[in-house]
Amino acid sequence: LKKEAEKILEFINATIEEVRRLYLDLSPGDLEDLGLTTALRSLVDDFSQLQKHIRWTIKLDNLDGLFGLSIETAIYRIVQEALTNIGKHAKPKKVFLGIKREKQSVAFTIKDDGIGFERQKVAAEKKTLGLLAMEERVKILGGTFELWSRENQGTTISFTIPIPEGN
């Protein structure tokens, strides 16, 4: 009976966390209140407080006013997922986040010097849901997604999002 109660509590806690995540997926408060650029800086600041052993380098062009809220939310979630993966798996000493506005698009680069991985090996172990979600979000936005990683050589995620016409 005790084991069954523990399983139920674990399920309840997991459900609560999923509901929280889904709620936040609707729209992070910082986006509406502060804009995409500040929200991304705040996101990195939050991660840097949790991962104090990592040296962070951030180069962010101003993205405010380029995208609607739904696109901003997707961009925020892609970057958030990448940083979450770094925090959970990469064990890096250095992380670089670069966001550069180009003529018709915005280019994003998230690079770490962590332990890296072999994508096929991770895919075989069915641990790629976050990566697939990032890639799918980028495709839905009409962008391109690239991932490079090697064991003991770090990981680089690069993606571009087109700027809607008129912005």
Side-chain angles (χ1 to χ4, degrees):
L1 187 61
K2 184 179 177 182
K3 285 183 182 180
E4 192 65 30
E6 288 173 353
K7 284 183 185 178
I8 291 170
L9 284 174
E10 284 179 29
F11 177 75
I12 290 170
N13 286 334
T15 302
I16 290 169
E17 284 304 311
E18 184 66 13
V19 168
R20 281 188 186 133
R21 188 189 63 75
L22 289 171
Y23 173 76
L24 290 173
D25 273 350
L26 295 175
S27 177
D30 283 356
L31 281 178
E32 290 183 72
D33 298 339
L34 306 172
L36 181 57
T37 307
T38 302
L40 290 173
R41 282 191 191 281
S42 178
L43 180 65
V44 172
D45 288 345
D46 290 347
F47 272 89
S48 68
Q49 292 303 311
L50 296 171
Q51 306 284 336
K52 293 185 186 240
H53 62 283
I54 298 173
R55 193 172 89 221
W56 296 82
T57 303
I58 295 113
K59 293 186 179 180
L60 233 63
D61 285 354
N62 186 349
L63 305 178
D64 297 338
L66 295 180
F67 304 104
L69 184 59
S70 63
I71 296 173
E72 287 182 344
T73 300
I75 290 168
Y76 183 92
R77 293 297 171 214
I78 295 163
V79 173
Q80 183 180 45
E81 181 66 29
L83 296 181
T84 298
N85 287 345
I86 289 169
K88 282 184 179 178
H89 307 294
K91 300 177 185 167
K93 293 178 182 147
K94 297 184 278 186
V95 174
F96 170 79
L97 171 63
I99 302 175
K100 182 170 179 50
R101 181 179 177 175
E102 298 173 344
K103 287 184 180 183
Q104 303 297 323
S105 64
V106 177
F108 298 79
T109 303
I110 304 159
K111 183 176 182 174
D112 69 68
D113 67 348
I115 62 171
F117 62 93
E118 296 297 330
R119 192 167 188 180
Q120 293 78 14
K121 185 177 173 182
V122 172
E125 296 171 2
K126 310 251 190 252
K127 295 181 178 179
T128 60
L129 190 58
L131 292 173
L132 291 173
M134 286 189 292
E135 189 168 5
E136 197 58 35
R137 279 184 166 135
V138 170
K139 285 181 183 177
I140 288 169
L141 299 175
T144 60
F145 180 90
E146 294 180 29
L147 174 112
W148 179 92
S149 187
R150 294 287 182 272
E151 287 186 11
N152 302 313
Q153 295 181 34
T155 301
T156 302
I157 293 173
S158 303
F159 62 97
T160 59
I161 305 294
I163 299 170
E165 296 215 11
N167 291 348

